[in-house]
Amino acid sequence: MIFWDIFLAFFIPGIIGYGGGPASIPLIEHEVVHRFGWYTVDQFGEVLALGNALPGPIATKMAGFIGYEQAGISGAIVGVFATVAPSLILMIALLSLLMKFKDSPKVKAMTSLVKPTIAVLLGLLTFRFFDNAYEQIGLLQTGLLIVISYVLLEKVKVHPAYVIAAALLYGGIFLGS
């Protein structure tokens, strides 16, 4: 049963997560946190943060790690397969169709209309992370980390991996007790 659950937890976001890894993150979070209860929002945020700091596609890394945590090596294989399989199947089945209509205004319009939905999903996930951080470390620490991270990422253009590593170090030194 656990392998089927792992498969569903990553196959469903993979099949409906149009827009790539970032678009599927809120869907994975829903499956892993709310549907199957394998992680809390905070634990999911830690997995996401560490996964973002490493090279490679985020959804695949998360599927491998979470699958491994739930059922060992076999769980990792099932999670990665379930993440990759939807795109692979759709690419094989629909490649000729996509290539034929890739310049179609209707296809371009459909793609443009999906983007706001993805933005809302990512915004809701972000809000949950902010709310969870606020409950755990308070408004001052949460606000400080938000502002410093924003400045480093958007103004100074520091690589996200360094910002995540710095936040982990800050948390370990000043907030760990």
Side-chain angles (χ1 to χ4, degrees):
M1 190 65 177
I2 187 66
F3 294 115
W4 179 245
D5 290 347
I6 293 169
F7 181 82
L8 287 179
F10 294 101
F11 184 81
I12 292 171
I15 201 78
I16 62 175
Y18 184 83
S24 64
I25 297 302
L27 302 171
I28 294 172
E29 187 257 355
H30 174 78
E31 297 293 324
V32 169
V33 173
H34 303 290
R35 182 174 180 189
F36 293 109
W38 295 329
Y39 290 105
T40 64
V41 170
D42 189 44
Q43 291 168 325
F44 183 82
E46 291 171 0
V47 172
L48 179 62
L50 288 175
N52 266 329
L54 300 172
I58 185 66
T60 310
K61 289 180 287 189
M62 292 181 71
F65 178 77
I66 294 169
Y68 179 79
E69 286 267 300
Q70 298 307 309
I73 296 293
S74 299
I77 292 169
V78 169
V80 170
F81 176 76
T83 301
V84 174
S87 297
L88 183 61
I89 293 167
L90 289 175
M91 282 298 293
I92 291 170
L94 301 174
L95 187 58
S96 63
L97 192 63
L98 287 174
M99 294 307 289
K100 185 176 179 181
F101 295 107
K102 72 177 184 180
D103 295 324
S104 163
K106 287 184 179 180
V107 172
K108 288 182 179 178
M110 287 171 42
T111 302
S112 296
L113 292 174
V114 168
K115 290 177 183 174
T117 303
I118 293 169
V120 169
L121 288 171
L122 290 172
L124 290 172
L125 181 64
T126 302
F127 176 77
R128 281 189 221 125
F129 285 161
F130 286 158
D131 187 50
N132 191 274
Y134 168 74
E135 289 177 6
Q136 291 187 355
I137 62 174
L139 181 61
L140 180 64
Q141 298 291 341
T142 301
L144 183 68
L145 288 170
I146 289 170
V147 170
I148 290 172
S149 297
Y150 177 79
V151 169
L152 290 174
L153 291 168
E154 293 298 319
K155 302 298 179 191
V156 184
K157 304 294 182 192
V158 174
H159 191 279
Y162 294 125
V163 176
I164 292 169
L168 288 171
L169 187 63
Y170 175 83
I173 292 171
F174 297 108
L175 302 175
S177 57

